[in-house]
Amino acid sequence: MKIQNRFTKDLTIDFPMIMAPMFLVSNLEMCLEAMRGGIAGTFPTLNFREKGQLEDILAKLNAAKNTPGNTGTYGVNIIVQKSNPLYAKHLQICVEAKVPFYITSLGSPEEVIKEAHKYGGKVYCDVTNLEHAKKCYDLGADGFIAVGQGAGGHAGPFPLMLLVPTLKSISPICR
Ligand SMILES: Cc1cc2nc3c(=O)[nH]c(=O)nc-3n(C[C@H](O)[C@H](O)[C@H](O)COP(=O)(O)O)c2cc1C
């Protein structure tokens, strides 16, 4: 069984589902299991801060992605704000590994979108409101992650029952 829509086609996965990134929790095994299940596994790049760790997990995930029968994919959550001292280094490592997709959090996703699109990577931007969503859309984002009330660490002010229909109404990338 498969569910086909724009999102699953963009990521070549079986089901339109992301295993959400969790700081200090998401790991290699969880992402591999998501990929085996035909969905998208993700992890925050900041879970791998020691030298060589990020390169190592990306190599393992890329190897798994090319295994026959593996119908899922993986992506990384990257904090694009200056508060992340590893941002530039991590982006460079991810681009070199041709990470299939990115979830950007906090600041401007401009550089990630530019670099990912050079090799066909997709970028989905965390947004909490219409203003940020419009900026991301204009920069060429492939989609939004609607961060509503109760979403966790960086929760937005609006309930998803308002945020999601509003995003859908303004943007063709949400349809
Ligand atoms: C322990 C924990 C850590 C999280 N860390 C991150 C993170 O680093 N980046 C992020 O984008 N979201 C993070 N989140 C939010 C989740 O990715 C997800 O958006 C949130 O849990 C809502 O999804 P759910 O309703 O399926 O739980 C975290 C959530 C939890 C519970």
Side-chain angles (χ1 to χ4, degrees):
M1 194 188 108
K2 285 184 185 188
I3 295 175
Q4 291 262 297
N5 60 22
R6 184 174 159 218
F7 181 67
T8 59
K9 282 183 194 151
D10 275 0
L11 293 186
T12 58
I13 56 179
D14 284 350
F15 303 102
M17 198 179 292
I18 295 176
M19 185 195 77
M22 289 183 282
F23 184 53
L24 302 182
V25 175
S26 312
N27 59 28
L28 174 65
E29 275 313 313
M30 290 165 72
C31 290
L32 291 174
E33 198 54 41
M35 289 166 76
R36 282 192 284 267
I39 69 167
T42 63
F43 64 89
T45 62
L46 285 173
N47 280 9
F48 300 93
R49 296 182 294 281
E50 302 300 325
K51 195 171 174 356
Q53 279 185 329
L54 185 58
E55 290 93 328
D56 187 53
I57 186 173
L58 294 178
K60 287 176 176 143
L61 290 170
N62 279 336
K65 191 165 158 48
N66 293 323
T67 307
N70 195 329
T71 56
T73 191
Y74 77 91
V76 298
N77 172 221
I78 186 161
I79 306 274
V80 293
Q81 214 181 28
K82 287 193 174 61
S83 64
N84 174 10
L86 292 173
Y87 162 68
K89 182 77 192 155
H90 279 182
L91 179 59
Q92 185 196 349
I93 293 167
C94 290
V95 168
E96 275 167 21
K98 294 192 165 52
V99 164
F101 77 97
Y102 299 78
I103 295 174
T104 59
S105 295
L106 300 178
S108 169
E110 183 167 10
E111 191 182 16
V112 178
I113 292 171
K114 203 174 106 220
E115 294 301 319
H117 284 180
K118 281 184 191 163
Y119 66 89
K122 303 289 180 193
V123 183
Y124 305 104
C125 303
D126 276 0
V127 296
T128 58
N129 60 48
L130 207 50
E131 194 189 353
H132 193 189
K134 280 182 174 157
K135 283 185 188 160
C136 295
Y137 177 70
D138 288 341
L139 291 170
D142 297 288
F144 305 128
I145 306 289
V147 180
Q149 274 176 357
H154 305 127
F158 302 113
L160 288 181
M161 62 186 292
L162 290 179
L163 185 58
V164 171
T166 307
L167 293 175
K168 281 173 117 172
S169 71
I170 61 133
S171 167
I173 62 174
C174 293
R175 289 180 205 133

